Amino acid sequence: MSRLQVVSGKGGTGKTTVAAALALALATAGKRTLLVEVEGRQGIAQLFETQALPYEERKIAVASGGGEVYALAIDPELALLDYLQMFYKLGGAGRALKKLGAIDFATTIAPGLRDVLLTGKACEAVRRKDKNGRFVYDYVVMDAPPTGRITRFLNVNDEVAGLARIGPIHNQAQAVMRVLKSSETAVHLVTLLEEMPVQETADGIAELRAAKLPVGRVIVNMVRPEVLDEDGLELVRTVTRSSVARSLSAAGLGGARRGGHAERLVDPLLQQAEEYAERYALEHEQRAVLGELDLPLHELPLLAEGLDLAGLYQLANELRKQGIA
């Protein structure tokens, strides 16, 4: 199992939710996981029903079996101050630069540098060891940018090529890329069983493979339960209105006479069944597209009660049952 788990997906697919559930799943049985946020949306804090995360690693949950989940919301400006202190020992001078606006200016005009800082902080956590030589975190899970930007975000070596070809920035980018392009990393794509998210997932996987970044798994989120099997769907295509009305009447839902209660239920029921059949066909088609990507495919259910902290643990348990963690 790769120690850096990167989770991306088209907006609206629930990638932050999946990243959080994956962090919980990986922390099972006494493991320690760091969940990293890089987009500044505080989505992790909302999911775990806690206060906004500061720029520090903070324990936010205990997983099944006593494992721990820590979280970190990376601030590019503060990460740059860390970088300046690490390589240039600027100390108070770095803080003075921040007050003058130089830090914000640097991360704005050089987006490649911003990505180096964000990915570099996550990779540092992957490599970090305690005084006994053991890894501080068993796994690091990154809630990464959406699929359309993930390859460029992770391919920081190319991003900084125009900034620095030698020196600490270049060396930092090289060190990050050694982690990101190794077996220590796996990039997972979250999608829905809908045409646009599936197409964006396929395109994202192609881009990641072209950049030689390690693609992990495809996770289909918010899968609705099956209501009708193949026999039921065939019945929808062939059933008559009169037989439906008679069945409703036999079930005690009113007489089958014209205008009766059962008669009034027929059209809404048939319309709902037709809509379900159309959705079933679309989802079946999109599953086939995902199957052609030659990657492990997993599905997470749509939670009928909505997503809360209990639901997050439920999704984590589902990931464990499917062997992802």
Side-chain angles (χ1 to χ4, degrees):
M1 176 70 70
S2 301
R3 296 188 58 250
L4 175 58
Q5 306 273 315
V6 180
V7 180
S8 181
K10 178 177 169 58
T13 60
K15 69 176 181 65
T16 300
T17 299
V18 173
L22 179 59
L24 276 171
L26 290 169
T28 301
K31 302 291 185 181
R32 178 182 286 188
T33 301
L34 176 65
L35 178 57
V36 175
E37 182 176 76
V38 299
E39 294 185 281
R41 295 185 295 106
Q42 290 293 336
I44 293 172
Q46 294 175 33
L47 284 171
F48 285 92
E49 301 174 4
T50 186
Q51 295 179 343
L53 297 172
Y55 181 58
E56 64 181 37
E57 293 160 22
R58 174 176 293 182
K59 187 166 75 172
I60 59 170
V62 176
S64 174
E68 297 175 328
V69 176
Y70 286 72
L72 171 66
I74 303 178
D75 182 303
E77 292 186 24
L78 296 177
L80 181 53
L81 286 176
D82 284 351
Y83 175 87
L84 293 174
Q85 174 61 23
M86 184 183 303
F87 289 105
Y88 297 102
K89 309 299 181 186
L90 289 187
R95 291 188 291 275
L97 286 173
K98 177 175 173 58
K99 290 182 179 179
L100 292 172
I103 303 299
D104 180 61
F105 178 72
T107 56
T108 299
I109 66 169
L113 175 59
R114 177 188 175 94
D115 291 348
V116 170
L117 295 169
L118 294 172
T119 55
K121 190 68 177 177
C123 290
E124 181 276 327
V126 171
R127 297 189 300 258
R128 192 190 313 158
K129 295 183 178 180
D130 61 21
K131 60 183 180 181
N132 297 317
R134 295 176 298 198
F135 287 116
V136 172
Y137 294 107
D138 297 288
Y139 300 101
V140 175
V141 179
M142 180 193 292
D143 177 22
T147 315
R149 295 195 291 115
I150 187 62
T151 301
R152 183 174 180 181
F153 173 78
L154 294 176
N155 207 18
V156 293
N157 190 49
D158 289 344
E159 285 295 293
V160 301
L163 294 173
R165 298 186 183 278
I166 58 174
I169 295 178
H170 175 81
N171 294 338
Q172 171 75 352
Q174 292 286 338
V176 168
M177 291 311 301
R178 281 194 292 272
V179 174
L180 293 180
K181 289 195 173 183
S182 73
S183 59
E184 284 190 285
T185 299
V187 185
H188 309 303
L189 280 297
V190 180
T191 187
L192 305 178
L193 288 175
E194 298 173 5
E195 187 173 358
M196 287 186 63
V198 167
Q199 184 58 56
E200 189 161 318
T201 297
D203 293 342
I205 289 170
E207 291 177 1
L208 289 165
R209 285 172 168 166
K212 294 182 171 54
L213 289 162
V215 184
R217 304 164 186 261
V218 174
I219 302 171
V220 183
N221 196 23
M222 293 185 275
V223 177
R224 287 170 285 194
E226 288 192 6
V227 178
L228 299 174
D229 57 17
E230 289 290 349
D231 291 339
L233 290 169
E234 180 61 29
L235 183 61
V236 169
R237 290 188 282 268
T238 59
V239 71
T240 63
R241 294 183 80 261
S242 59
S243 63
V244 174
R246 286 194 299 271
S247 297
L248 290 172
S249 179
L253 295 176
R257 68 183 184 279
R258 185 112 185 129
H261 185 57
E263 178 74 20
R264 292 195 300 272
L265 289 175
V266 172
D267 286 338
L269 281 174
L270 288 177
Q271 181 180 353
Q272 189 173 23
E274 290 171 2
E275 290 174 354
Y276 175 81
E278 290 177 3
R279 177 166 62 82
Y280 180 92
L282 172 63
E283 292 179 349
H284 184 75
E285 179 183 320
Q286 297 310 311
R287 276 194 181 92
V289 174
L290 293 172
E292 294 174 357
L293 298 176
D294 194 29
L295 288 171
L297 184 63
H298 305 271
E299 296 189 4
L300 291 176
L302 175 67
L303 299 179
E305 301 299 321
L307 182 67
D308 56 11
L309 193 54
L312 197 59
Y313 276 85
Q314 181 181 337
L315 294 178
N317 186 55
E318 186 64 34
L319 289 173
R320 285 194 295 270
K321 288 195 297 184
Q322 295 186 33
I324 295 182

